[in-house]
Amino acid sequence: MQRLLFSLLIINILLACGGTNGTDRGQGEVDREERTVLRIPAFNADSAFHFVERQVAFGPRVPNTEAHRQAGKWLRQSMERFADTVYIQETRVRAYDGTNLQIKNIIGVFQPEKRRRILLCAHWDSRPYADHDPDPANHYTPIDGANDGASGVGVLLEIARLLGETPTQVGIDIIFFDAEDYGRHRLSNVPDGDHWALGAQHWARNPHRLDYDARFGILLDMVGASDATFKREGYSMLYAPNVVRKVWETAQSIGHGHLFPEQDGNFVVDDHYYVNRIRRIPTINIIHQDDRTSHGFFPQWHTMGDNMDVIDPYTLRAVGETVLHVIYNQ
Ligand code: AHN
Ligand code: ZN
């Protein structure tokens, strides 16, 4: 008995010496500690802002236009600088009004060999019409979509840049979906249908890898305006409540809780809806909701006012840091 106790004591001392601070812990706790200790790179909000600005400078990124082609080329080249593998998924889809759209999903894969994966996404196209503009003369004019589209892509390009330098423990896939915003014009007679998120619908039915799966997904939409608030979006709560909880708790823990209130928002049919419904990957939408406007989004939504003037690096930073903390702690 004495001998047994003595051996146990020796084993304990040996285990303690192997630990990081000499206290006695189970192996699981050691792992958890190492995971949180992992260095999280600094999100550069000016760099993210610059990525938004570069996209907007091409002009409205409406499918079948030259600005769309040029912006797509730049996005592909940027992703090729940061990611291990880049897929370009090109196809033609039919818009609600019968227009054939030549579209392109842009997919960056980080650490393709890893089995545990997280999906991050945003839409890179911009809306062909300012159908909520206060001036009816603008109702058929394409918009910059600095917040509605470019902001999410800007945050994800900055995250891609950091992932290229500092790998995570899980594999990350970043998808820029096309043709999210070619949904039915507000004044059109066409009945409602699955008109939004055409690129995401295509990818969900034809993923870049046949067996593609991820633990969860995060969509960023309208994540750059000043005074943004991200309420818990309806489909996110329906399909991925644990992911919502994880992300909102993370934001709170790093001082961004005021942008992520514990409040339920509306249901928004967006790219994540089809990733959930068709691909069955629990995916949330971090989206700016505001119930003081008639449409429920930020005040300049689908107007000519959705330009660089609404973009605030503070909001880009809050969202970028939150997503970085989630993926580096995974
Ligand atoms: C609907 O209005 C049905 N969905 C809005 C999704 C959206 C538009 N996200 C950005 N622009
Ligand atoms: Zn939109």
Side-chain angles (χ1 to χ4, degrees), residues 62-82:
V62 174
N64 297 353
T65 68
E66 186 57 21
H68 180 267
R69 269 185 288 280
Q70 291 304 318
K73 186 175 159 197
W74 175 76
L75 285 172
R76 179 236 282 243
Q77 288 168 345
S78 306
M79 197 59 110
E80 281 170 349
R81 276 207 304 281
F82 306 136

PDB file of all heavy atoms in Angstrom, residues 62-82:
ATOM      1  N   VAL A  62     -22.868  44.289 -60.288  1.00  0.00           N
ATOM      2  CA  VAL A  62     -24.092  43.649 -60.770  1.00  0.00           C
ATOM      3  C   VAL A  62     -23.726  42.596 -61.812  1.00  0.00           C
ATOM      4  O   VAL A  62     -22.989  42.897 -62.753  1.00  0.00           O
ATOM      5  CB  VAL A  62     -25.044  44.706 -61.376  1.00  0.00           C
ATOM      6  CG1 VAL A  62     -26.262  44.045 -62.010  1.00  0.00           C
ATOM      7  CG2 VAL A  62     -25.461  45.724 -60.315  1.00  0.00           C
ATOM      8  N   PRO A  63     -24.205  41.348 -61.636  1.00  0.00           N
ATOM      9  CA  PRO A  63     -23.882  40.290 -62.591  1.00  0.00           C
ATOM     10  C   PRO A  63     -24.123  40.727 -64.035  1.00  0.00           C
ATOM     11  O   PRO A  63     -25.056  41.493 -64.315  1.00  0.00           O
ATOM     12  CB  PRO A  63     -24.834  39.158 -62.185  1.00  0.00           C
ATOM     13  CG  PRO A  63     -25.040  39.354 -60.716  1.00  0.00           C
ATOM     14  CD  PRO A  63     -25.009  40.844 -60.511  1.00  0.00           C
ATOM     15  N   ASN A  64     -23.290  40.239 -64.956  1.00  0.00           N
ATOM     16  CA  ASN A  64     -23.309  40.545 -66.397  1.00  0.00           C
ATOM     17  C   ASN A  64     -22.743  41.928 -66.723  1.00  0.00           C
ATOM     18  O   ASN A  64     -22.860  42.369 -67.862  1.00  0.00           O
ATOM     19  CB  ASN A  64     -24.723  40.445 -67.015  1.00  0.00           C
ATOM     20  CG  ASN A  64     -25.301  39.041 -66.942  1.00  0.00           C
ATOM     21  OD1 ASN A  64     -24.617  38.104 -66.558  1.00  0.00           O
ATOM     22  ND2 ASN A  64     -26.556  38.894 -67.309  1.00  0.00           N
ATOM     23  N   THR A  65     -22.145  42.623 -65.779  1.00  0.00           N
ATOM     24  CA  THR A  65     -21.513  43.914 -66.088  1.00  0.00           C
ATOM     25  C   THR A  65     -19.986  43.790 -66.013  1.00  0.00           C
ATOM     26  O   THR A  65     -19.459  42.857 -65.394  1.00  0.00           O
ATOM     27  CB  THR A  65     -21.951  45.028 -65.103  1.00  0.00           C
ATOM     28  OG1 THR A  65     -21.412  44.737 -63.798  1.00  0.00           O
ATOM     29  CG2 THR A  65     -23.467  45.140 -65.027  1.00  0.00           C
ATOM     30  N   GLU A  66     -19.308  44.767 -66.603  1.00  0.00           N
ATOM     31  CA  GLU A  66     -17.842  44.777 -66.609  1.00  0.00           C
ATOM     32  C   GLU A  66     -17.290  44.978 -65.185  1.00  0.00           C
ATOM     33  O   GLU A  66     -16.287  44.366 -64.810  1.00  0.00           O
ATOM     34  CB  GLU A  66     -17.335  45.878 -67.557  1.00  0.00           C
ATOM     35  CG  GLU A  66     -15.836  45.910 -67.770  1.00  0.00           C
ATOM     36  CD  GLU A  66     -15.244  44.592 -68.297  1.00  0.00           C
ATOM     37  OE1 GLU A  66     -15.994  43.769 -68.872  1.00  0.00           O
ATOM     38  OE2 GLU A  66     -14.027  44.382 -68.111  1.00  0.00           O
ATOM     39  N   ALA A  67     -17.945  45.829 -64.399  1.00  0.00           N
ATOM     40  CA  ALA A  67     -17.490  46.054 -63.017  1.00  0.00           C
ATOM     41  C   ALA A  67     -17.526  44.747 -62.222  1.00  0.00           C
ATOM     42  O   ALA A  67     -16.617  44.450 -61.432  1.00  0.00           O
ATOM     43  CB  ALA A  67     -18.368  47.105 -62.343  1.00  0.00           C
ATOM     44  N   HIS A  68     -18.559  43.955 -62.455  1.00  0.00           N
ATOM     45  CA  HIS A  68     -18.710  42.653 -61.795  1.00  0.00           C
ATOM     46  C   HIS A  68     -17.548  41.736 -62.204  1.00  0.00           C
ATOM     47  O   HIS A  68     -16.915  41.102 -61.345  1.00  0.00           O
ATOM     48  CB  HIS A  68     -20.065  42.061 -62.183  1.00  0.00           C
ATOM     49  CG  HIS A  68     -20.386  40.728 -61.582  1.00  0.00           C
ATOM     50  ND1 HIS A  68     -20.112  39.538 -62.217  1.00  0.00           N
ATOM     51  CD2 HIS A  68     -20.986  40.384 -60.408  1.00  0.00           C
ATOM     52  CE1 HIS A  68     -20.528  38.533 -61.462  1.00  0.00           C
ATOM     53  NE2 HIS A  68     -21.065  39.012 -60.355  1.00  0.00           N
ATOM     54  N   ARG A  69     -17.255  41.687 -63.502  1.00  0.00           N
ATOM     55  CA  ARG A  69     -16.149  40.841 -63.981  1.00  0.00           C
ATOM     56  C   ARG A  69     -14.824  41.265 -63.360  1.00  0.00           C
ATOM     57  O   ARG A  69     -14.059  40.438 -62.884  1.00  0.00           O
ATOM     58  CB  ARG A  69     -16.035  40.917 -65.508  1.00  0.00           C
ATOM     59  CG  ARG A  69     -16.846  39.857 -66.241  1.00  0.00           C
ATOM     60  CD  ARG A  69     -16.589  39.905 -67.761  1.00  0.00           C
ATOM     61  NE  ARG A  69     -17.198  41.071 -68.388  1.00  0.00           N
ATOM     62  CZ  ARG A  69     -18.500  41.137 -68.714  1.00  0.00           C
ATOM     63  NH1 ARG A  69     -19.303  40.118 -68.480  1.00  0.00           N
ATOM     64  NH2 ARG A  69     -18.989  42.234 -69.265  1.00  0.00           N
ATOM     65  N   GLN A  70     -14.556  42.572 -63.359  1.00  0.00           N
ATOM     66  CA  GLN A  70     -13.281  43.077 -62.838  1.00  0.00           C
ATOM     67  C   GLN A  70     -13.166  42.835 -61.332  1.00  0.00           C
ATOM     68  O   GLN A  70     -12.111  42.450 -60.830  1.00  0.00           O
ATOM     69  CB  GLN A  70     -13.126  44.574 -63.142  1.00  0.00           C
ATOM     70  CG  GLN A  70     -12.926  44.881 -64.627  1.00  0.00           C
ATOM     71  CD  GLN A  70     -11.728  44.144 -65.214  1.00  0.00           C
ATOM     72  OE1 GLN A  70     -10.664  44.049 -64.602  1.00  0.00           O
ATOM     73  NE2 GLN A  70     -11.905  43.590 -66.411  1.00  0.00           N
ATOM     74  N   ALA A  71     -14.255  43.079 -60.603  1.00  0.00           N
ATOM     75  CA  ALA A  71     -14.237  42.855 -59.156  1.00  0.00           C
ATOM     76  C   ALA A  71     -14.028  41.369 -58.855  1.00  0.00           C
ATOM     77  O   ALA A  71     -13.271  41.003 -57.945  1.00  0.00           O
ATOM     78  CB  ALA A  71     -15.542  43.352 -58.527  1.00  0.00           C
ATOM     79  N   GLY A  72     -14.668  40.509 -59.656  1.00  0.00           N
ATOM     80  CA  GLY A  72     -14.518  39.064 -59.470  1.00  0.00           C
ATOM     81  C   GLY A  72     -13.076  38.619 -59.670  1.00  0.00           C
ATOM     82  O   GLY A  72     -12.565  37.786 -58.928  1.00  0.00           O
ATOM     83  N   LYS A  73     -12.435  39.217 -60.680  1.00  0.00           N
ATOM     84  CA  LYS A  73     -11.041  38.888 -60.968  1.00  0.00           C
ATOM     85  C   LYS A  73     -10.142  39.309 -59.794  1.00  0.00           C
ATOM     86  O   LYS A  73      -9.256  38.565 -59.365  1.00  0.00           O
ATOM     87  CB  LYS A  73     -10.635  39.620 -62.252  1.00  0.00           C
ATOM     88  CG  LYS A  73      -9.260  39.288 -62.771  1.00  0.00           C
ATOM     89  CD  LYS A  73      -9.032  39.987 -64.118  1.00  0.00           C
ATOM     90  CE  LYS A  73      -7.539  40.108 -64.405  1.00  0.00           C
ATOM     91  NZ  LYS A  73      -7.274  41.113 -65.452  1.00  0.00           N
ATOM     92  N   TRP A  74     -10.408  40.502 -59.267  1.00  0.00           N
ATOM     93  CA  TRP A  74      -9.617  40.998 -58.138  1.00  0.00           C
ATOM     94  C   TRP A  74      -9.836  40.140 -56.881  1.00  0.00           C
ATOM     95  O   TRP A  74      -8.880  39.823 -56.155  1.00  0.00           O
ATOM     96  CB  TRP A  74      -9.986  42.466 -57.848  1.00  0.00           C
ATOM     97  CG  TRP A  74      -9.306  43.007 -56.623  1.00  0.00           C
ATOM     98  CD1 TRP A  74      -7.999  43.400 -56.513  1.00  0.00           C
ATOM     99  CD2 TRP A  74      -9.897  43.193 -55.330  1.00  0.00           C
ATOM    100  NE1 TRP A  74      -7.743  43.813 -55.231  1.00  0.00           N
ATOM    101  CE2 TRP A  74      -8.884  43.704 -54.494  1.00  0.00           C
ATOM    102  CE3 TRP A  74     -11.178  42.981 -54.811  1.00  0.00           C
ATOM    103  CZ2 TRP A  74      -9.115  44.002 -53.145  1.00  0.00           C
ATOM    104  CZ3 TRP A  74     -11.414  43.277 -53.473  1.00  0.00           C
ATOM    105  CH2 TRP A  74     -10.389  43.782 -52.650  1.00  0.00           C
ATOM    106  N   LEU A  75     -11.071  39.718 -56.656  1.00  0.00           N
ATOM    107  CA  LEU A  75     -11.361  38.878 -55.488  1.00  0.00           C
ATOM    108  C   LEU A  75     -10.649  37.531 -55.595  1.00  0.00           C
ATOM    109  O   LEU A  75     -10.113  37.013 -54.620  1.00  0.00           O
ATOM    110  CB  LEU A  75     -12.867  38.660 -55.340  1.00  0.00           C
ATOM    111  CG  LEU A  75     -13.643  39.853 -54.799  1.00  0.00           C
ATOM    112  CD1 LEU A  75     -15.148  39.600 -54.880  1.00  0.00           C
ATOM    113  CD2 LEU A  75     -13.240  40.144 -53.347  1.00  0.00           C
ATOM    114  N   ARG A  76     -10.669  36.958 -56.812  1.00  0.00           N
ATOM    115  CA  ARG A  76      -9.994  35.683 -57.024  1.00  0.00           C
ATOM    116  C   ARG A  76      -8.488  35.828 -56.765  1.00  0.00           C
ATOM    117  O   ARG A  76      -7.884  35.025 -56.046  1.00  0.00           O
ATOM    118  CB  ARG A  76     -10.247  35.184 -58.454  1.00  0.00           C
ATOM    119  CG  ARG A  76      -9.542  33.860 -58.736  1.00  0.00           C
ATOM    120  CD  ARG A  76      -8.637  33.980 -59.928  1.00  0.00           C
ATOM    121  NE  ARG A  76      -9.436  33.923 -61.132  1.00  0.00           N
ATOM    122  CZ  ARG A  76      -9.341  32.963 -62.045  1.00  0.00           C
ATOM    123  NH1 ARG A  76      -8.481  31.996 -61.869  1.00  0.00           N
ATOM    124  NH2 ARG A  76     -10.079  33.000 -63.112  1.00  0.00           N
ATOM    125  N   GLN A  77      -7.908  36.903 -57.324  1.00  0.00           N
ATOM    126  CA  GLN A  77      -6.462  37.112 -57.142  1.00  0.00           C
ATOM    127  C   GLN A  77      -6.113  37.344 -55.669  1.00  0.00           C
ATOM    128  O   GLN A  77      -5.101  36.851 -55.180  1.00  0.00           O
ATOM    129  CB  GLN A  77      -5.988  38.296 -57.984  1.00  0.00           C
ATOM    130  CG  GLN A  77      -5.973  37.981 -59.470  1.00  0.00           C
ATOM    131  CD  GLN A  77      -5.775  39.211 -60.346  1.00  0.00           C
ATOM    132  OE1 GLN A  77      -5.917  40.349 -59.882  1.00  0.00           O
ATOM    133  NE2 GLN A  77      -5.459  38.993 -61.611  1.00  0.00           N
ATOM    134  N   SER A  78      -6.962  38.087 -54.954  1.00  0.00           N
ATOM    135  CA  SER A  78      -6.718  38.327 -53.525  1.00  0.00           C
ATOM    136  C   SER A  78      -6.766  37.012 -52.772  1.00  0.00           C
ATOM    137  O   SER A  78      -5.909  36.724 -51.929  1.00  0.00           O
ATOM    138  CB  SER A  78      -7.768  39.282 -52.952  1.00  0.00           C
ATOM    139  OG  SER A  78      -7.811  40.469 -53.716  1.00  0.00           O
ATOM    140  N   MET A  79      -7.793  36.217 -53.055  1.00  0.00           N
ATOM    141  CA  MET A  79      -7.939  34.945 -52.355  1.00  0.00           C
ATOM    142  C   MET A  79      -6.761  34.025 -52.665  1.00  0.00           C
ATOM    143  O   MET A  79      -6.291  33.298 -51.803  1.00  0.00           O
ATOM    144  CB  MET A  79      -9.273  34.314 -52.741  1.00  0.00           C
ATOM    145  CG  MET A  79      -9.719  33.238 -51.798  1.00  0.00           C
ATOM    146  SD  MET A  79      -9.898  33.828 -50.102  1.00  0.00           S
ATOM    147  CE  MET A  79     -11.665  33.778 -49.931  1.00  0.00           C
ATOM    148  N   GLU A  80      -6.263  34.078 -53.907  1.00  0.00           N
ATOM    149  CA  GLU A  80      -5.125  33.227 -54.270  1.00  0.00           C
ATOM    150  C   GLU A  80      -3.862  33.610 -53.500  1.00  0.00           C
ATOM    151  O   GLU A  80      -2.996  32.777 -53.277  1.00  0.00           O
ATOM    152  CB  GLU A  80      -4.873  33.295 -55.789  1.00  0.00           C
ATOM    153  CG  GLU A  80      -5.860  32.412 -56.548  1.00  0.00           C
ATOM    154  CD  GLU A  80      -5.845  32.613 -58.062  1.00  0.00           C
ATOM    155  OE1 GLU A  80      -5.219  33.587 -58.546  1.00  0.00           O
ATOM    156  OE2 GLU A  80      -6.499  31.815 -58.747  1.00  0.00           O
ATOM    157  N   ARG A  81      -3.780  34.867 -53.090  1.00  0.00           N
ATOM    158  CA  ARG A  81      -2.617  35.280 -52.289  1.00  0.00           C
ATOM    159  C   ARG A  81      -2.679  34.689 -50.881  1.00  0.00           C
ATOM    160  O   ARG A  81      -1.652  34.417 -50.278  1.00  0.00           O
ATOM    161  CB  ARG A  81      -2.583  36.810 -52.160  1.00  0.00           C
ATOM    162  CG  ARG A  81      -1.945  37.525 -53.324  1.00  0.00           C
ATOM    163  CD  ARG A  81      -1.339  38.870 -52.902  1.00  0.00           C
ATOM    164  NE  ARG A  81      -2.297  39.756 -52.252  1.00  0.00           N
ATOM    165  CZ  ARG A  81      -3.200  40.486 -52.903  1.00  0.00           C
ATOM    166  NH1 ARG A  81      -3.285  40.407 -54.220  1.00  0.00           N
ATOM    167  NH2 ARG A  81      -4.021  41.282 -52.234  1.00  0.00           N
ATOM    168  N   PHE A  82      -3.892  34.508 -50.330  1.00  0.00           N
ATOM    169  CA  PHE A  82      -4.023  34.142 -48.913  1.00  0.00           C
ATOM    170  C   PHE A  82      -4.321  32.663 -48.680  1.00  0.00           C
ATOM    171  O   PHE A  82      -3.834  32.071 -47.726  1.00  0.00           O
ATOM    172  CB  PHE A  82      -5.147  34.968 -48.267  1.00  0.00           C
ATOM    173  CG  PHE A  82      -5.000  36.464 -48.437  1.00  0.00           C
ATOM    174  CD1 PHE A  82      -6.091  37.255 -48.786  1.00  0.00           C
ATOM    175  CD2 PHE A  82      -3.762  37.080 -48.234  1.00  0.00           C
ATOM    176  CE1 PHE A  82      -5.958  38.638 -48.933  1.00  0.00           C
ATOM    177  CE2 PHE A  82      -3.625  38.461 -48.380  1.00  0.00           C
ATOM    178  CZ  PHE A  82      -4.726  39.240 -48.733  1.00  0.00           C
TER     179      PHE A  82
END
